[in-house]
Amino acid sequence: MKFGVRAHDYGKRPIEEMAALLHAEGYDAAQLVLPKAFAGIDSYQDITLSHLERIRGAFEKYGIAIPVFGCYMDLGNPDPEVREYAVSNYKKCLGYAKELGAKVVGTETAYPHLTVEEKKLWHPYMLDSIQRIVEEAQRIDMRAAIEPVYWHPLTDLETTLEVIDRVGDEKHLRLIFDASNLLEFPETTDQEAYWSGWLDAVGKYVDVLHIKDFSVGPDGAYRAERLGKGVIQYEAVSRWLHAQTRDLALIREEMNPEFAKEDLEFMKKL
């Protein structure tokens, strides 16, 4: 089990400085979104072989694994130009990630919050995009990892199982599990049953868990919280983790550096 953080939650820093900082903070893993995490890389188009060599060297030096290369693209967008860019960029990132030694390339399936009708409209475009990126993952023997989010086309367990069945490639299509992105109705959801149902059904596809917590303000707005201080109930997730023998990664998202060490201890106790 590895315990990490989304690197850019510490801001944008030089490559070697970021690796040293993550080590000093006690992590042994990180999710890297290169244009957000590293000074001198402002877009995916800026990435060079020299960058990749420096990142790999620095992170190996400090013992920081890279379970997720982040390339979050608008894969389900009905606009063919937007979608073509998303698929093309993701394919490039599969190659970058393999060069880095990352475990998966992670993405959600949309950018905006979609209505029920929009999610249905975007659904076939999402399927097409996922199938195309998995073809590239198969070609270079890398892993694509998709992240279900209730306001995106990959919206629920049924849809996730449909995509897994349609692609039919457990090795090259993996999942990132983020409880906060799946809890649409925190006040009425039986989280014990909900998380158990998810993980019983698709747990063998999960390589990475995003760990975060939130509350809902009086205005209905999402508020990031310290781990254990919000609405997420992690007991069922913890039991599932204890039953695993695979090398999984827990990645803290929306981390506040003021409480980083407490949050890391919370993850380790899971």
Side-chain angles (χ1 to χ4, degrees):
M1 200 77 67
K2 290 183 171 60
F3 301 93
V5 68
R6 190 171 59 179
H8 64 266
D9 284 347
Y10 282 101
K12 191 166 185 172
R13 299 171 182 265
I15 290 167
E16 292 77 13
E17 179 185 317
M18 180 67 82
L21 172 63
L22 296 175
H23 173 74
E25 289 287 283
Y27 302 106
D28 59 8
Q31 175 168 322
L32 300 182
V33 182
L34 272 58
K36 293 183 177 182
F38 298 121
I41 304 176
D42 295 320
S43 72
Y44 289 102
Q45 286 67 42
D46 290 340
I47 298 170
T48 66
L49 182 59
S50 175
H51 288 135
L52 298 175
E53 290 173 346
R54 284 177 59 198
I55 295 167
R56 183 162 191 159
F59 278 67
E60 286 180 349
K61 175 183 176 180
Y62 287 101
I64 308 294
I66 309 171
V68 186
F69 184 109
C71 181
Y72 279 56
M73 292 286 107
D74 204 7
L75 293 179
N77 197 300
D79 185 321
E81 291 187 8
V82 172
R83 200 166 63 255
E84 184 56 40
Y85 168 78
V87 171
S88 174
N89 201 53
Y90 189 95
K91 287 181 177 181
K92 289 179 184 177
C93 287
L94 284 166
Y96 297 151
K98 185 164 187 177
E99 191 71 29
L100 273 185
K103 190 167 187 178
V104 304
V105 177
T107 184
E108 294 173 357
T109 55
Y111 285 163
H113 282 241
L114 303 176
T115 66
V116 172
E117 293 74 19
E118 287 171 330
K119 286 187 283 188
K120 291 178 181 177
L121 174 65
W122 289 43
H123 181 89
Y125 301 112
M126 171 197 69
L127 280 174
D128 176 69
S129 294
I130 290 174
Q131 288 175 315
R132 291 167 62 195
I133 65 177
V134 172
E135 287 172 1
E136 179 67 8
Q138 293 166 338
R139 188 184 73 81
I140 68 171
D141 196 22
M142 188 59 199
R143 296 175 181 86
I146 52 177
E147 184 176 337
V149 180
Y150 76 77
W151 59 87
H152 286 170
L154 194 67
T155 187
D156 54 23
L157 180 56
E158 181 182 6
T159 307
T160 303
L161 288 168
E162 176 198 357
V163 171
I164 288 171
D165 183 64
R166 181 77 65 92
V167 172
D169 187 343
E170 181 178 341
K171 179 180 179 182
H172 295 103
L173 181 65
R174 310 299 295 166
L175 294 178
I176 296 173
F177 179 82
D178 187 328
S180 292
N181 287 353
L182 295 171
L183 189 60
E184 184 173 6
F185 305 108
E187 293 184 355
T188 58
T189 299
D190 178 350
Q191 293 189 47
E192 175 73 22
Y194 192 49
W195 306 136
S196 295
W198 266 95
L199 292 168
D200 287 348
V202 299
K204 69 177 182 177
Y205 293 90
V206 173
D207 286 334
V208 177
L209 292 89
H210 283 164
I211 306 297
K212 57 181 186 269
D213 209 341
F214 72 96
S215 61
V216 180
D219 57 354
Y222 176 99
R223 295 179 178 178
E225 299 284 359
R226 293 168 58 186
L227 297 181
K229 303 299 183 181
V231 300
I232 299 294
Q233 299 168 17
Y234 275 109
E235 289 81 4
V237 176
S238 179
R239 282 199 306 277
W240 180 82
L241 285 168
H242 276 278
Q244 305 310 303
T245 57
R246 296 182 291 121
D247 187 22
L248 297 167
L250 276 63
I251 300 293
R252 174 67 167 118
E253 281 197 315
E254 300 176 350
M255 181 275 305
N256 181 339
E258 183 179 353
F259 305 111
K261 294 197 180 299
E262 292 93 330
D263 285 346
L264 180 56
E265 287 305 310
F266 181 96
M267 290 198 297
K268 289 181 177 180
K269 289 177 181 177
L270 286 180

